[in-house]
C-alpha cells in the first residue's frame, strides 16, 4: 500500500486530487500540501522517519506551476536525497513533459485529472515501489496509438501519422490534424512501425513513406516533404531512403 503526498497551490485542485487518491484502494494514506516548501518539509519528515517509519512517503503527486519553488525545482531537490519518494507530475501543461522525465518521473498526468488516468499513474508507482505484483498488460492495438490531450485519451490511427519527432524519452506524432506527445522513445516506435512503412531519416525523425510527397536534392543535402513539412535526411540514411522510394515507385 502506498503512502502519498499531493502538492498543488490551487485548493480546489488539491482537494480533488486528494479525494481521488484516497478513493484508490492501493493508497494507504494521502496528505495534501499547498506549496513546494510545505511539501519539502513533509518529505524531510519522511526521510527522518525512514522507509518503515510512521511518517514515511512512497510517492509525491506534484503540480508544476506554483509560486516560489515550482514542481520541477522540488523534483530536482528530491533527486539529491538518498532515498527520495517517487514523483508523479499532475499538471495542466504538456510542455514540461521532457523535463519531467529527465528527472525520472514515474508518470505525467494532465489536468483535468480523470480517475482512470490517475489510477494508471498509481499502478505505475505501485509497480516501482514493489507494493504490488506487476500485472500483465494487453498488447497495444497495432493500428492505433493512444494519446492524451487535456485529460482526454484519444486513439490516433497509425496510418494518419506523417512523421515522428524525438523529444527525449517522448516522441511527438505529427498528423494532418495536429501533433500529439507520447511517452515512447523514437527508437521504440521505429522498431514497432518498421513493417508499416516508417523509416528513420535522421536521429530526430521517423517518417511514413506513404506520406512523403517530395524528395529534394540541393547542393548535396537531401530532404523530404511529409505532411507539408520539409525534413532533413542525414547522410547515413539518404541512400537507404532513396532506394526505398524507388522501389515503392
Amino acid at each position: 500500500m502506498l503512502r502519498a503526498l499531493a502538492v498543488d497551490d490551487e485548493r480546489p485542485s488539491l482537494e480533488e486530487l486528494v479525494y481521488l487518491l484516497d478513493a484508490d484502494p492501493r493508497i494507504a494514506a494521502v496528505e495534501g500540501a499547498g506549496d513546494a516548501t510545505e511539501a519539502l518539509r513533509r518529505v524531510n519528515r519522511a526521510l527522518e522517519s525512514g522507509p518503515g517509519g510512521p511518517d514515511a512517503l512512497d510517492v509525491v503527486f506534484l503540480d508544476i506551476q506554483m509560486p516560489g519553488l515550482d514542481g520541477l525545482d522540488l523534483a530536482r531537490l528530491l533527486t539529491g536525497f538518498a532515498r527520495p519518494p517517487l514523483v508523479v507530475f499532475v499538471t495542466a501543461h504538456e510542455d514540461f513533459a521532457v523535463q519531467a522525465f529527465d528527472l525520472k518521473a514515474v508518470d505525467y498526468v494532465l489536468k483535468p485529472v480523470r480517475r482512470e488516468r490517475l489510477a494508471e499513474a498509481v499502478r505505475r508507482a505501485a509497480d516501482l515501489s514493489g507494493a504490488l505484483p506487476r500485472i500483465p498488460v494487453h498488447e497495444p492495438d497495432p493500428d492505433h496509438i493512444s494519446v492524451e490531450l487535456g485529460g482526454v485519451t484519444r486513439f490516433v490511427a497509425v496510418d494518419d501519422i506523417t512523421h515522428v519527432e524525438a523529444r527525449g524519452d517522448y516522441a511527438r506524432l505529427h498528423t494532418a490534424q495536429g501533433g500529439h506527445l507520447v511517452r515512447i522513445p523514437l527508437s521504440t516506435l521505429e522498431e514497432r512501425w518498421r513493417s508499416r512503412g516508417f523509416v528513420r531519416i535522421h536521429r530526430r525523425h521517423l517518417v511514413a513513406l506513404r506520406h512523403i510527397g517530395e524528395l529534394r536534392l540541393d547542393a548535396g543535402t537531401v530532404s523530404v516533404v511529409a505532411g507539408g513539412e520539409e525534413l532533413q535526411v542525414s547522410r547515413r540514411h539518404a541512400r537507404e531512403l532513396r532506394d526505398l522510394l524507388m522501389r515503392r515507385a
Side-chain angles (χ1 to χ4, degrees):
M1 300 290 284
L2 296 172
R3 295 152 296 185
L5 175 67
V7 186
D8 198 311
D9 65 305
E10 297 181 356
R11 178 57 56 180
S13 295
L14 179 60
E15 291 176 350
E16 179 186 21
L17 183 56
V18 168
Y19 171 79
L20 291 174
L21 289 170
D22 192 47
D24 193 303
R26 294 163 294 193
I27 301 293
V30 56
E31 300 175 48
D35 57 46
T37 302
E38 181 184 353
L40 189 57
R41 287 196 294 266
R42 178 62 185 88
V43 172
N44 276 317
R45 289 209 326 268
L47 295 174
E48 292 171 359
S49 178
D55 291 326
L57 280 176
D58 299 302
V59 57
V60 178
F61 291 82
L62 184 58
D63 189 20
I64 289 183
Q65 290 196 325
M66 296 183 290
L69 197 68
D70 68 21
L72 292 172
D73 292 331
L74 176 57
R76 291 188 187 97
L77 289 174
L78 294 181
T79 61
F81 287 72
R83 300 177 65 91
L86 301 171
V87 172
V88 173
F89 285 100
V90 183
T91 176
H93 307 278
E94 75 167 29
D95 301 343
F96 302 102
V98 173
Q99 297 175 61
F101 284 103
D102 283 344
L103 293 170
K104 309 304 180 186
V106 173
D107 207 342
Y108 193 90
V109 180
L110 291 175
K111 296 179 181 178
V113 179
R114 293 182 299 109
R115 185 186 299 270
E116 296 81 5
R117 182 63 183 86
L118 186 62
E120 171 62 16
V122 172
R123 183 195 66 78
R124 291 179 180 178
D127 283 350
L128 289 174
S129 72
L132 290 174
R134 187 172 294 276
I135 301 172
V137 178
H138 294 294
E139 288 296 318
D141 177 357
D143 296 324
H144 295 83
I145 184 169
S146 61
V147 300
E148 293 235 356
L149 182 63
V152 176
T153 300
R154 296 180 180 177
F155 296 91
V156 175
V158 175
D159 288 346
D160 290 342
I161 297 169
T162 60
H163 60 286
V164 187
E165 179 184 1
R167 292 287 185 91
D169 290 336
Y170 264 64
R172 180 171 288 279
L173 313 177
H174 292 265
T175 71
Q177 291 72 42
H180 307 281
L181 201 64
V182 294
R183 189 192 176 191
I184 306 176
L186 191 67
S187 57
T188 299
L189 293 177
E190 178 184 12
E191 179 67 26
R192 183 183 299 178
W193 291 343
R194 182 177 290 117
S195 63
R196 302 185 67 97
F198 283 80
V199 296
R200 181 74 76 102
I201 63 168
H202 190 273
R203 64 182 178 83
R204 291 191 57 202
H205 289 110
L206 191 66
V207 67
L209 291 174
R210 71 178 67 85
H211 287 292
I212 294 178
E214 296 180 21
L215 177 67
R216 297 177 177 177
L217 304 175
D218 182 19
T221 64
V222 181
S223 63
V224 296
V225 177
E229 184 174 348
E230 185 173 0
L231 306 171
Q232 184 177 354
V233 181
S234 67
R235 289 186 177 180
R236 62 176 295 198
H237 294 105
R239 174 172 293 181
E240 178 187 4
L241 177 63
R242 285 198 299 265
D243 290 345
L244 287 171
L245 289 174
M246 289 297 294
R247 287 202 293 270
R248 287 178 66 87

